[in-house]
Amino acid sequence: MSNTTSDDSLITTEVQADSNDDRAPVNEAGTAVAARDLNVYYGDEQAINDVTMEIPEKRVTALIGPSGCGKSTFLRTINRMNDMIDICRVEGDVEFGGKNVYDADVDPVALRRKIGMVFQKPNPFPKSIRDNVAYGLKIQGFDGDVDARVEESLKGAALWDEVKDQLHSSGLELSGGQQQRLCIARAIAPDPEVILMDEPTSALDPVAASKIEDLIDDLAEEYTVIIVTHNMQQAARISDRTAVFLTGGELVEYDDTAKIFEDPEQQRVEDYITGKFG
Amino acid sequence: MATDNANADGFGEVSRVRGIAFEYLSLGASVFGLVALGVLLVYVAIDAFDLSNASPEWLLTYFVTLVVPFLAFCLYSADDPAVTRRALGALGGGLVAVAVVFTAIESLLVPIPRLNWQLAYLFVVAAPVAAYLTYVGSNGRPGAVGFGLLGRLVGGAALGLAVGTLFLVFDSLVWFLAYTLGVLPAVGLYAYGRVREASRARTAALPVGFLGLVAAVVLRDVIPTYPSDLLIYLWTIAVPIAVAGGLVVADRRGRTVAAVAAGLPLAVATAGGFWATGAGLPAPTVLLVLVTTGVPTAVYVSRVVDVGEGVVGLALPFLIAGGVVVGALVVEAWGVPAPDPWLDAGFVTEAPSRTPANAGLYPAIVGSVIIIALVAVLSFLLGVGTSVFLEEYTPGTGPIGTLTRILQVNIANLAAVPSVVYGLLGLGLFANLLGLGIGTAVTAALTLSLLILPITIISAQEAIRSVPDDLRRGSDAMGATRWQTTKNVVLPEAMPGILTGTILALGRAIGETAPLIMIGAATTVFNPPSSLFSRFSAMPMQIYTWAGFPQADFRYGVVAAGVITLLIILVGMNGTAILLRNRAERGS
């Protein structure tokens, strides 16, 4: 496991928050992504209810909350993956790089090239490991040394040592945890600014999950990481900021991770974190 | 135990009678179908090869010189005493069993027409044992090598014949110009771009190739003199194949070996081509067959020698050829009566005739191959295009979604429209309205493409739909456009399924007769089609015509030979397509 001292289950009230002392305080970081008065609807159903939050750059921000609370929906509004869903409707602003990504002149495809995404279930393409990592470079018409970038990305995803001799075998031959790290390598290869992770460890065993957690910690040196997780301990261990969504798509509390886990403002949040509800 | 009383007579029993009955019924149904088809094919083969006139001595000779060495090779390759015992037991026990049962049926019940017990043994015991041993033997190293070599020889010859046939209707002069001006420079630029990492050269390849093609069409009638056909094929097909083969070998074994592996077959093929010109054979086809057989064989042999395992398997083709030659010599010397097969070299190389003995299928084979090649290209492109559009580009909701659903239902219904109706459509639309001509090859190809289009579309849609959405979302999230996602992720993953559907549909197209009758295809032609707009006949048309002839020899011998030829070409075509598909599957 990563650098946490607590192995307690969620039932215990004390979940140790690790404030990631190796990075400067959060309030010194600039803003990478900001949502303003964001409302998202699926048909008549409201999935995000008037959310306003600023996500610091080069930090790990965790989104936690019970199932159906809208945290994954929020993640997908950032790179406009919700556009793929016919009945989804977005109101309000999501600013990325000082620009509202829902402006009419924003090309969602171009936007997604600046924002990497890692999904809940590892989804490597049925191609070789090298081609998987090089995929983003290929579709973006990358003109430099592809193999060097592939190596760099695989090292960045802590996978290089395990696969350097089998770059041309299929990505599907890897284990689940390796596949997920391959997906991370794929996401960072085109050098995005933000990486979105939608429950990246929920389909993995604890050992593989802890490797990914260590990796996320390292990724925050260079990238803004926004991670949705069901695992409260994971959020406490790896994130600098934590946003708690509760049912109805409401952002209930958003603060430094240590504050959320040690002394939340709201009783509802404390109940959720200590497992009394959700 | 506390539950002693309850379990005094076990847990009771759950009845499985219905399940078992169902299992055996379905087994019986499939066995019945297979046996019926098998009996039919056996009789067709007996007629086609005149096996009812084969004397027991003749059968014995070839059994000893051909079948026994082949089985011995398979057993040697399998190298498993249990398999050897089983095979010998089946061969020996089968001999006694077939002889006894056959004689008993003949004397007690009914005489069995056109069969004797030796032939029955051949079909019922020897053939299945040989098939089983081929399978087992090909798992061993020498067997794998032997069958791999055999496959390259047969496949290469078939490929050469098919390409040679296609060039009967396609203008070789345009191809010569297109290759020289378009294909060669484009491939050269692309290769240069790959090797030197110069992306500009790679981007330029496509426009350069396109310009070359346009120039070829324009210059076709301007240029006054051309090299001979043989030189054209040597330059545009034989040399590139040899170079490609050489590159494959050079990768592994260095330049000297590569030069030999590519140069030797090329030299043999060139010599064969010039010899054929003198001997009055179609020189380009001879050249093509020699090259498409020789180069892959040389590459394969060099690889096998390199790996150094199962080199002995390379002797398999010689074993078979030797068996045939020795068998023929023995039969000749012994003077035993031999069958006079209807399906012989003359049958597949000569035109139809009024006498059964001289009847040939050659023009119809060429017609069928040309049509089926066109149908394959047309229905694949149209089918994949339509299904990609329906699955990837149309939204599921709104007015367009409704329109798509209506379209879907109609496509499904089109698959059930009888083929005669498509013939009528082809006659009205292609032959008359578009003026492509009654009974021409291009009309037939378009009609048959329409006929199988619904099947290709539906199967391609199924294949595209079965690509997991995870992969599409993964690609979208990388910032791929819809086209990039379709091209790089969806189509490669769906390709095996798409090919399976197309293969099945093509199998139907090659055997269709009714639409060909409707569009006025000739029942009998004496020359193969020389262009897409010449009149043609197809194999099923010709077979159907023969079946109506008054002479019994036509209706039994010649028709059977035609059916076997059609089946061999169909199986060859499907086999090639399945090999390609499996390669695509492994590649992904």
Side-chain angles (χ1 to χ4, degrees):
Chain A
M1 306 297 271
S2 72
N3 44 2
T4 177
T5 50
S6 166
D7 275 330
D8 298 348
S9 75
L10 295 179
I11 312 291
T12 59
T13 38
E14 291 295 317
V15 177
Q16 186 83 41
D18 168 20
S19 53
N20 289 304
D21 308 320
D22 47 336
R23 286 194 287 276
V26 169
N27 48 22
E28 287 175 17
T31 301
V33 177
R36 299 201 203 291
D37 308 324
L38 185 69
N39 286 288
V40 180
Y41 305 87
Y42 291 122
D44 296 332
E45 207 171 315
Q46 186 158 18
I48 301 276
N49 187 357
D50 210 18
V51 167
T52 298
M53 67 188 282
E54 289 185 354
I55 294 171
E57 71 179 342
K58 302 202 175 170
R59 293 289 183 278
V60 180
T61 303
L63 311 178
I64 62 173
S67 299
C69 69
K71 53 195 191 304
S72 290
T73 302
F74 179 78
L75 198 72
R76 286 198 304 265
T77 55
I78 298 173
N79 65 347
R80 291 187 60 174
M81 285 294 277
N82 279 336
D83 289 15
M84 313 267 169
I85 301 166
D86 286 334
I87 57 167
C88 181
R89 194 156 49 82
V90 177
E91 288 168 7
D93 293 356
V94 176
E95 278 172 21
F96 168 60
K99 173 120 188 108
N100 179 13
V101 301
Y102 285 94
D103 277 352
D105 62 342
V106 170
D107 178 0
V109 170
L111 170 73
R112 288 181 204 126
R113 293 182 178 190
K114 299 215 177 300
I115 300 178
M117 187 161 189
V118 178
F119 294 81
Q120 177 173 9
K121 208 175 127 220
N123 59 349
F125 301 129
K127 300 171 183 289
S128 72
I129 291 171
R130 178 194 177 277
D131 288 351
N132 259 291
V133 182
Y135 185 78
L137 305 174
K138 183 181 164 193
I139 60 172
Q140 297 184 19
F142 179 68
D143 226 9
D145 186 349
V146 173
D147 287 308
R149 187 67 83 83
V150 167
E151 181 178 342
E152 194 186 311
S153 308
L154 283 169
K155 280 177 177 160
L159 191 60
W160 175 252
D161 290 334
E162 290 159 63
V163 302
K164 64 181 175 214
D165 298 324
Q166 44 168 350
L167 289 179
H168 291 281
S169 56
S170 171
L172 297 174
E173 284 165 22
L174 300 174
S175 71
Q178 288 175 323
Q179 286 189 10
Q180 193 62 299
R181 276 179 284 152
L182 180 62
C183 291
I184 293 175
R186 182 176 76 187
I188 62 178
D191 202 20
E193 290 165 31
V194 176
I195 300 173
L196 309 178
M197 297 189 169
D198 192 355
E199 299 181 40
T201 62
S202 64
L204 305 180
D205 67 87
V207 177
S210 85
K211 280 190 184 162
I212 303 267
E213 286 182 14
D214 292 347
L215 177 57
I216 291 170
D217 207 35
D218 296 337
L219 287 176
E221 306 278 319
E222 276 187 70
Y223 306 99
T224 305
V225 179
I226 306 173
I227 176 171
V228 165
T229 178
H230 266 304
N231 182 336
M232 234 86 58
Q233 291 185 327
Q234 184 176 66
R237 277 193 297 268
I238 63 176
S239 70
D240 302 281
R241 300 273 285 176
T242 298
V244 184
F245 285 77
L246 291 180
T247 326
E250 222 177 316
L251 176 61
V252 181
E253 194 163 343
Y254 176 49
D255 212 328
D256 286 354
T257 300
K259 169 96 167 96
I260 294 271
F261 281 91
E262 281 157 19
D263 182 22
E265 299 279 330
Q266 299 210 24
Q267 187 60 37
R268 294 196 279 172
V269 173
E270 184 165 347
D271 287 350
Y272 174 67
I273 286 171
T274 54
K276 284 184 187 149
F277 132 82
Chain B
M1 272 195 291
T3 51
D4 258 357
N5 285 344
N7 285 350
D9 45 9
F11 295 105
E13 264 185 43
V14 178
S15 166
R16 287 178 181 72
V17 176
R18 267 182 281 186
I20 291 170
F22 175 77
E23 189 184 335
Y24 282 105
L25 267 179
S26 27
L27 177 73
S30 35
V31 166
F32 176 77
L34 284 178
V35 166
L37 190 64
V39 168
L40 172 76
L41 287 182
V42 162
Y43 272 97
V44 170
I46 289 175
D47 281 348
F49 294 102
D50 192 30
L51 287 178
S52 54
N53 285 332
S55 58
E57 294 90 344
W58 186 87
L59 288 173
L60 180 68
T61 309
Y62 277 104
F63 189 75
V64 171
T65 62
L66 189 60
V67 179
V68 169
F70 175 76
L71 296 183
F73 173 82
C74 292
L75 287 175
Y76 165 75
S77 168
D79 195 22
D80 181 351
V83 170
T84 312
R85 267 199 309 276
R86 220 176 298 152
L88 293 182
L91 282 176
L95 186 70
V96 177
V98 169
V100 169
V101 171
F102 194 90
T103 322
I105 292 178
E106 286 237 292
S107 54
L108 298 178
L109 298 168
V110 282
I112 299 173
R114 307 170 87 84
L115 264 179
N116 51 30
W117 72 263
Q118 290 95 338
L119 271 179
Y121 174 69
L122 206 63
F123 285 116
V124 176
V125 178
V129 169
Y132 166 70
L133 285 184
T134 305
Y135 170 71
V136 176
S138 66
N139 289 336
R141 203 53 223 166
V145 168
F147 289 115
L149 184 62
L150 218 51
R152 274 157 186 83
L153 286 171
V154 175
L159 183 67
L161 285 174
V163 174
T165 307
L166 290 183
F167 270 107
L168 287 176
V169 294
F170 291 110
D171 192 342
S172 61
L173 302 185
V174 169
W175 163 240
F176 168 67
L177 290 177
Y179 175 79
T180 314
L181 300 175
V183 177
L184 190 61
V187 170
L189 271 177
Y190 186 79
Y192 175 82
R194 279 298 286 268
V195 174
R196 290 285 152 85
E197 292 281 346
S199 61
R200 230 168 355 148
R202 262 181 295 170
T203 345
L206 206 61
V208 165
F210 183 72
L211 280 182
L213 296 188
V214 173
V217 175
V218 173
L219 292 178
R220 159 74 173 83
D221 293 321
V222 180
I223 293 178
T225 52
Y226 287 94
S228 75
D229 271 3
L230 186 62
L231 289 180
I232 289 181
Y233 292 117
L234 188 64
W235 161 239
T236 59
I237 297 179
V239 171
I241 291 181
V243 168
L247 287 177
V248 172
V249 177
D251 234 19
R252 216 175 295 110
R253 309 237 21 215
R255 296 202 177 165
T256 329
V257 184
V260 174
L264 195 65
L266 187 62
V268 169
T270 313
F274 280 108
W275 167 78
T277 317
L281 290 167
T285 306
V286 171
L287 172 85
L288 288 178
V289 169
L290 286 175
V291 162
T292 51
T293 332
V295 173
T297 308
V299 172
Y300 188 69
V301 169
S302 100
R303 194 171 81 204
V304 168
V305 173
D306 196 29
V307 174
E309 273 180 57
V311 182
V312 107
L314 293 177
L316 180 61
F318 297 99
L319 192 74
I320 290 174
V324 172
V325 171
V326 171
L329 288 178
V330 170
V331 166
E332 185 82 20
W334 198 353
V336 294
D340 179 19
W342 295 104
L343 176 53
D344 52 12
F347 184 76
V348 291
T349 55
E350 278 165 23
S353 159
R354 208 171 299 177
T355 58
N358 294 327
L361 196 58
Y362 177 63
I365 296 176
V366 174
S368 274
V369 169
I370 286 165
I371 290 173
I372 219 65
L374 275 180
V375 170
V377 173
L378 282 173
S379 64
F380 182 79
L381 291 181
L382 288 175
V384 171
T386 312
S387 51
V388 165
F389 176 74
L390 287 177
E391 286 300 316
E392 298 291 316
Y393 281 85
T394 54
T397 53
I400 298 185
T402 316
L403 199 67
T404 313
R405 269 197 298 281
I406 294 175
L407 214 58
Q408 301 260 32
V409 172
N410 279 302
I411 289 173
N413 283 334
L414 279 180
V417 171
S419 55
V420 165
V421 179
Y422 280 99
L424 208 58
L425 173 69
L427 180 68
L429 180 62
F430 300 123
N432 291 335
L433 194 64
L434 297 182
L436 298 175
I438 290 175
T440 58
V442 64
T443 306
L446 287 169
T447 308
L448 290 179
S449 304
L450 269 195
L451 169 73
I452 63 167
L453 198 53
I455 310 175
T456 31
I457 292 176
I458 290 171
S459 57
Q461 273 187 296
E462 287 299 329
I464 290 174
R465 216 174 293 160
S466 70
V467 175
D469 248 1
D470 281 359
L471 295 180
R472 288 193 188 86
R473 294 294 89 86
S475 175
D476 291 338
M478 296 296 298
T481 60
R482 190 164 349 195
W483 164 240
Q484 284 172 327
T485 301
T486 306
K487 184 183 73 141
N488 295 319
V489 176
V490 176
L491 278 183
E493 185 68 357
M495 199 43 77
I498 294 176
L499 286 177
T500 306
T502 311
I503 292 167
L504 289 176
L506 284 180
R508 180 171 171 205
I510 198 176
E512 275 296 345
T513 322
L516 298 184
I517 296 175
M518 292 304 288
I519 61 155
T523 50
T524 302
V525 292
F526 294 94
N527 291 308
S530 58
S531 85
L532 290 180
F533 293 95
S534 49
R535 291 180 66 75
F536 78 102
S537 185
M539 283 187 279
M541 283 292 289
Q542 183 66 61
I543 294 168
Y544 175 69
T545 313
W546 279 331
F549 276 18
Q551 298 101 311
D553 274 350
F554 267 116
R555 279 181 281 128
Y556 294 102
V558 177
V559 164
V563 168
I564 295 283
T565 315
L566 178 60
L567 283 178
I568 288 175
I569 289 181
L570 180 71
V571 168
M573 198 180 76
N574 281 2
T576 318
I578 289 169
L579 278 181
L580 285 178
R581 183 198 64 191
N582 290 351
R583 183 151 294 187
E585 251 171 353
R586 251 181 296 139
S588 63

